[in-house]
Amino acid sequence: MISGFESIQLTTIILIVVAGFAAGWVDAVVGGGGLIQLPALLLVPGIAPVQALATNKMGSIFGTATSAATYYRRVGPDLRTAVPMAVIALGGSFGGASLAASLPAGVFKPIIVVALIAVALFTALKPNVGDLTALRHDGHKHYVVACLIGAVIGFYDGLIGPGTGSFLVIALVSAMGYAFLEASAKAKIVNMATNAGALLFFLPHGSILWGIGLLLGAANMAGGYLGARTAVSQGSKFVRVVFLVVVAALIIKLGYDVWLDNFA
């Protein structure tokens, strides 16, 4: 199965396109589009989990590149912070992807659920956080913190993935002091790099379903463009609300996975 279309029905193709568009929109606003896109890919008959992960990354990189370009034109995020962070994140993502086959995601899921609950409570109980940019660090320390965030979350994205964009946004808001809108703009640049890092690992292994990946990429691009424009026009308060909704969905999804792994 090279293209992914060999045994797939038209209704499934349509569902994948719709999921790709919705995932691109959500990813552009605040991250977390994999919650929508990955389950749709798993509907492809005979697809292996690694193929779903690799094809998901391929589709996502089109969307994150489009939304990053849109944000750059309309918000103008500081590339002196975003680019080094993205480079470090790319390396971290490659390293995480290389370990993904040997370390079961189930080991990490309970920790991620707890972290997401803490993130949701922090955001909900501090309604003014992320309204305006008020940087917490300056000079050398600012770039060190940015690169540490890129390394850790990049590694997480390559290893497991769900909620990478959301983790990037909250880290940029809470640890660095960016407003939600500017944090989301920088997160797209970094997320594009983490997708690229994982793809660099997956490409030589022949895991990508090229036909579905390109179709997914086109849908992601459309969703990413619209999502970025929506976020820019609505501002940080809108991004914050969508962020809380996506984080709640992540908690429910990963919490359910933990329950299945341990109690079902």
Side-chain angles (χ1 to χ4, degrees):
M1 188 161 61
I2 297 173
S3 72
F5 292 128
E6 288 82 355
S7 58
I8 192 171
Q9 296 181 346
L10 178 61
T11 52
T12 304
I13 293 174
I14 293 171
L15 181 60
I16 287 172
V17 171
V18 172
F21 179 85
W25 190 92
V26 170
D27 259 339
V29 177
V30 78
L35 278 175
I36 304 167
Q37 193 163 273
L38 197 53
L41 281 170
L42 292 171
L43 296 175
V44 176
I47 192 170
V50 69
Q51 290 177 313
L53 287 170
T55 307
N56 176 58
K57 291 297 181 190
M58 182 182 177
S60 295
I61 198 169
F62 284 92
T64 49
T66 301
S67 55
T70 305
Y71 271 119
Y72 180 73
R73 289 196 303 268
R74 294 176 176 270
V75 177
D78 178 17
L79 294 183
R80 291 174 298 176
T81 299
V83 170
M85 191 178 177
V87 171
I88 296 294
L90 188 151
S93 180
F94 182 90
S98 65
L99 288 178
S102 57
L103 295 177
V107 173
F108 301 95
K109 284 180 181 177
I111 300 170
I112 297 165
V113 171
V114 172
L116 284 168
I117 291 172
V119 163
L121 289 173
F122 173 82
T123 307
L125 296 175
K126 292 183 175 289
N128 294 324
V129 168
D131 282 351
L132 298 170
T133 293
L135 296 180
R136 303 187 189 283
H137 314 290
D138 52 26
H140 183 66
K141 187 176 181 181
H142 172 87
Y143 297 104
V144 169
V145 173
C147 289
L148 283 173
I149 291 170
V152 172
I153 299 181
F155 182 83
Y156 166 79
D157 190 29
L159 184 65
I160 305 172
T164 295
S166 300
F167 278 127
L168 280 168
V169 169
I170 197 60
L172 286 164
V173 169
S174 60
M176 300 197 69
Y178 286 106
F180 267 102
L181 182 61
E182 192 168 352
S184 194
K186 282 184 171 59
K188 294 296 93 55
I189 296 171
V190 179
N191 208 176
M192 179 176 64
T194 63
N195 286 332
L199 277 175
L200 285 174
F201 174 80
F202 287 128
L203 276 170
H205 294 77
S207 302
I208 298 171
L209 303 180
W210 288 95
I212 289 180
L214 290 171
L215 183 66
L216 204 56
N220 244 254
M221 287 176 68
Y225 176 73
L226 181 62
R229 286 180 64 94
T230 304
V232 171
S233 64
Q234 297 297 320
S236 286
K237 289 186 183 297
F238 172 79
V239 176
R240 181 179 182 275
V241 171
V242 177
F243 175 82
L244 283 170
V245 171
V246 171
V247 168
L250 278 165
I251 291 169
I252 294 168
K253 168 65 171 63
L254 292 175
Y256 180 69
D257 287 348
V258 170
W259 184 83
L260 284 179
D261 292 341
N262 294 281
F263 303 108

